[in-house]
């Protein structure tokens, strides 16, 4: 859901099975959450469950895999 309360889902495609790094940054570029996950080749849907300590606001979620990265704006709130 967007805005997310305490978790969110992110979907993306990876060319190979690998590791992904994820980070959530605020408007000033400060990292407020980071994590990692193993991903499969093809479509992946990750659930990030540890957002209850992140203050309400708008953030940029960046997912990085070898060979690329993507970013998406997300809203945290509605607790």
């Amino acid at each position: 859901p967007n805005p997310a309360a305490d978790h969110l889902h992110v979907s993306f495609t990876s060319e190979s099975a690998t590791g992904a790094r994820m980070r959530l940054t605020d408007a000033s570029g400060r990292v407020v959450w980071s994590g990692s996950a193993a991903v499969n080749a093809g479509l992946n849907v990750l659930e990030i469950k540890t957002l209850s300590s992140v203050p309400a606001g708008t953030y940029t979620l960046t997912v990085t895999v070898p060979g690329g990265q993507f970013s998406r704006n997300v809203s945290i709130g509605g607790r």
Side-chain angles (χ1 to χ4, degrees):
N2 198 7
D6 58 358
H7 70 280
L8 61 88
H9 295 95
V10 58
S11 60
F12 61 94
T13 301
S14 177
E15 292 182 7
S16 61
T18 188
R21 292 178 308 159
M22 300 166 287
R23 70 181 187 276
L24 200 62
T25 54
D26 63 15
S28 68
R30 183 176 62 96
V31 176
V32 298
W33 177 89
S34 64
S36 61
V39 298
N40 298 312
L43 179 64
N44 292 271
V45 179
L46 302 179
E47 181 177 18
I48 301 171
K49 297 181 180 182
T50 55
L51 298 177
S52 60
S53 64
V54 176
T58 301
Y59 298 92
T60 301
L61 174 67
T62 302
V63 177
T64 304
V65 294
Q69 73 176 24
F70 75 91
S71 297
R72 174 173 298 148
N73 290 332
V74 296
S75 295
I76 307 295
R79 291 186 182 94

